């Protein structure tokens, strides 16, 4: 089933202890869309400037990602982010943010996107997420991501959005910030009590936790030696998860757990190289093989 | 099969954000022995002073823990440790250490302990661990724990010990310290290349990783809301793991993975109350039920 993602499209500059890359393809909606494209057709809603390289458009189109909802602002510049990873490859520092066209982003969902049954509001301003949600015509499943910035600055809108969505995906420190609870199991359920039917807490290299009224579980990350660039891992996780749910056109507990596993595995490929360089070079069969390894790893 | 543990026996004072307990039963060998006692008879080798409460001796004996190797030093005082946990219940600060009789601990393995096929060298000075290992008569499986203090101060002895043992258990920050590698998958294998056939990296609330020549895997912690006192979780983990291996008299890959799971589950009970208050009040059936929950959690 069609899946819509609304979020940022970016040119990232990433500094790691070993190497720096300038102006590479990034953004929450981009990582999400490419990850989800292994499972289902994706419609991306976002904004860029006229500095946006045509090759990126071609790459996304080649992955069956519809760009009807991607606004190109003439004379505008694309959102840029620069960050540096520390030696442990988990901690990172944001060195520079140039919002550019993202600052005035007013999402416009094309007709086909309004009618899409699966909707993901990728990381971005809660105000923008709410604007997109209002245009969606009763999706079967609406899930959002958020981050510390919006928890701190748009809490009222976030509380409103939490009552309108089916699921929320956020990372561990954000769950603690949102609830004031340092225990992740309690924090996950407290977020769930704010509105969504389910909550996913991303723990980076430690995997992800799932919370619904009747379930609490954790799945570990896929252990990998090769961590080149963790940028986009969380967005790829969400893309793998939502992509699988849309493909299955189902979100019962068993499907949700398998979707969590696919999210973890897609993210494990993303971090193996800069930008989308690794993720675009795998096949569904590679994912399938890693899923089997992962299931074997968790069986005893 | 009989299992021997050599390590510390302590009176701990534990401060948590909610409550403080003074002079409660603790020590690496004690947590290990009680955890292992759910699976197999245990022989404890350690030292205490004559301030050691008789009720603790009775408690350990009631769990089929043999204390022939527990030296009681007349006029001496038992090792004492005081620590404080932060709000997140993961970070802790050591406030006071009184080594007392532990400072001059010269382990003496009774005849039956020398012949025991399973040996665990719980956290303590590497010099002491080596003395115990030398007395053991060709155990089937010898496994040790270590910590940052000994990595920093007894590295030469640690390198020697690593060549003589079958397995090493250590936590994530210690694995990074020992290898200088911030990636845990690489760090685990680097430790393994220093000598032991397998390495277990404990990640606290994030579970544990296993490394052998042919296997790399991670199992998550059992998600629990109730974290009252994390002291002894790592020692309980090792006790559950080694206890199960000794019970099965086997350490093939499948048995080792199940042993890891039991270690994780025993530790999940330990943290639910101070000292051994929770761990001594469960049954093997409680462990079995949690194992089934855990297996269900990891299946999809």
């Amino acid at each position: 089933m069609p899946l819509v993602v609304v979020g940022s499209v970016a040119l990232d500059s990433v500094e790691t202890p070993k190497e720096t890359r300038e102006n590479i393809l990034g953004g929450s909606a981009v990582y999400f869309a490419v990850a989800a494209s292994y499972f289902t057709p994706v419609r991306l809603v976002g904004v860029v400037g006229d500095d946006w390289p045509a090759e990126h458009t071609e790459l996304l189109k080649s992955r069956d990602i519809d760009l009807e909802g991607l606004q190109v602002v003439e004379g505008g510049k694309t959102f840029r982010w620069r960050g540096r990873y520390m030696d442990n490859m988990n901690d990172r520092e944001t060195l520079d943010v140039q919002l550019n066209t993202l600052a005035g982003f007013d999402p416009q969902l094309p007709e086909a996107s309004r009618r899409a049954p699966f909707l993901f509001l990728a990381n971005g301003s809660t105000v923008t997420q709410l604007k997109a949600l209002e245009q969606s015509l009763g999706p079967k499943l609406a899930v959002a991501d958020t981050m510390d910035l919006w928890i701190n600055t748009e809490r009222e809108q976030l509380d409103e959005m939490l009552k309108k969505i089916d699921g929320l995906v956020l990372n561990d420190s954000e769950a603690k910030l949102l609830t004031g609870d340092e225990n992740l199991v309690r924090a996950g359920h407290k977020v769930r009590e704010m509105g969504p039917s389910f909550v996913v807490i991303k723990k980076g290299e430690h995997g992800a936790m799932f919370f619904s009224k009747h379930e609490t579980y954790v799945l570990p990350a896929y252990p990998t030696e090769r961590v080149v660039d963790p940028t986009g891992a969380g967005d790829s996780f969400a893309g793998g998860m939502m992509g699988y749910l849309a493909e299955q056109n189902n979100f019962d507990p068993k499907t949700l757990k398998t979707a969590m596993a696919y999210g973890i595995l897609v993210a494990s490929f993303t971090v193996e190289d800069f930008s989308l360089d690794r993720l675009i070079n795998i096949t569904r069969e590679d994912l399938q093989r890693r899923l089997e390894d992962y299931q074997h790893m968790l069986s005893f």
Side-chain angles (χ1 to χ4, degrees), chain A residues 91-278:
Chain A
D91 300 327
R92 80 176 180 199
E93 190 184 353
T94 291
L95 300 174
D96 188 35
V97 172
Q98 296 173 27
L99 284 179
N100 299 330
T101 54
L102 190 63
F105 179 37
D106 185 18
Q108 300 295 331
L109 275 63
E111 184 61 22
S113 294
R114 290 171 185 246
R115 298 188 180 283
F118 289 82
L119 173 67
F120 188 75
L121 305 167
N123 201 356
S125 150
T126 318
V127 172
T128 306
Q129 290 178 315
L130 278 169
K131 280 184 186 170
L133 187 59
E134 281 159 15
Q135 295 171 48
S136 184
L137 303 169
K140 284 179 70 167
L141 188 73
V143 178
D145 195 344
T146 192
M147 68 182 285
D148 49 2
L149 177 62
W150 318 116
I151 295 172
N152 286 324
T153 63
E154 299 186 341
R155 181 58 191 262
E156 201 177 316
Q157 292 87 345
L158 184 58
D159 285 338
E160 181 190 339
M161 185 177 77
L162 286 172
K163 292 188 177 64
K164 294 179 174 171
I165 56 177
D166 302 296
L168 184 73
V169 174
L170 73 178
N171 76 28
D172 45 3
S173 63
E174 292 156 359
K176 291 177 182 178
L177 175 67
L178 183 55
T179 61
D181 198 319
E182 291 280 338
N183 178 288
L184 287 177
V185 179
R186 286 195 304 262
H189 284 293
K190 282 183 182 174
V191 177
R192 186 180 57 72
E193 285 160 11
M194 294 175 185
S197 304
F198 69 85
V199 172
V200 175
I201 297 182
K202 298 174 288 182
K203 302 198 298 172
E205 66 164 331
H206 301 301
M209 304 179 85
F210 179 91
F211 305 89
S212 68
K213 196 164 183 181
H214 302 291
E215 281 191 302
T216 303
Y217 59 77
V218 54
L219 292 176
Y222 184 83
T224 178
E225 297 194 18
R226 192 172 162 78
V227 181
V228 173
D229 173 14
T231 310
D235 302 311
S236 304
F237 165 84
M241 183 185 84
M242 289 294 291
Y244 182 75
L245 294 174
E247 180 194 51
Q248 300 296 312
N249 189 22
N250 188 346
F251 39 91
D252 65 15
K254 185 175 160 34
T255 310
L256 270 163
K257 198 188 278 185
T258 307
M260 288 269 293
Y262 272 115
I264 284 168
L265 299 177
V266 171
S268 77
F269 282 110
T270 299
V271 304
E272 290 182 356
D273 206 342
F274 283 96
S275 184
L276 292 145
D277 291 359
R278 178 71 175 129

Side-chain angles (χ1 to χ4, degrees), chain A residues 47-60:
Chain A
V47 65
V48 292
D50 58 12
D51 57 347
W52 179 246
E55 66 190 78
H56 293 344
T57 299
E58 281 156 32
L59 171 70
L60 297 174

